[in-house]
């Protein structure tokens, strides 16, 4: 994916804020994906907000992983070297299930 630039103009200055997309993939249940739009200098908290709007899972219940590292919501995409097209894995903290997921009961022996 190519990086695009949004430009905000104020008086005679020009501030460039590049946006890019990352894919958030749920670990369980597998197969669900969300494409998030993010600024390179934006905090990881913005991804968590988009995930909450998508599946209702609160920020404290989300664990975002990228290349084996847990992403801290106060740090930026630049800190983690996130680029367009990167895949971030979403896991529920403490084994909580995502909203709407109901496990099947185990068969009795």
């Amino acid at each position: 994916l190519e990086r695009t630039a949004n430009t905000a103009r104020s008086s005679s200055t020009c501030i460039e804020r590049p946006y890019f997309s990352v894919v958030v993939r749920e670990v369980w249940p597998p197969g669900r994906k969300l494409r998030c739009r993010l600024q390179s200098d934006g905090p990881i908290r913005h991804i968590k907000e988009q995930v909450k709007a998508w599946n209702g899972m609160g920020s404290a219940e989300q664990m975002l992983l990228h290349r084996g590292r847990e992403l801290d919501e106060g740090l930026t995409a630049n800190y983690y070297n996130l680029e367009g097209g990167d895949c971030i894995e979403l896991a529920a903290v403490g084994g909580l299930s995502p909203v709407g997921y109901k496990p099947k009961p185990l068969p009795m022996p």
Side-chain angles (χ1 to χ4, degrees), residues 6-27:
N6 267 356
T7 307
R9 298 181 189 269
S10 61
S11 55
S12 63
T13 61
C14 181
I15 302 168
E16 187 175 314
R17 295 189 179 119
Y19 285 91
F20 60 94
S21 294
V22 294
V23 175
V24 177
R25 183 179 65 86
E26 275 188 325
V27 174

Side-chain angles (χ1 to χ4, degrees), residues 1 4 10 17 24 26 44 49 52 96-97 104 108:
L1 296 172
T4 59
S10 61
R17 295 189 179 119
V24 177
E26 275 188 325
I44 300 301
E49 290 167 357
K52 183 177 181 179
L96 297 172
S97 297
K104 294 180 182 176
M108 298 298 287

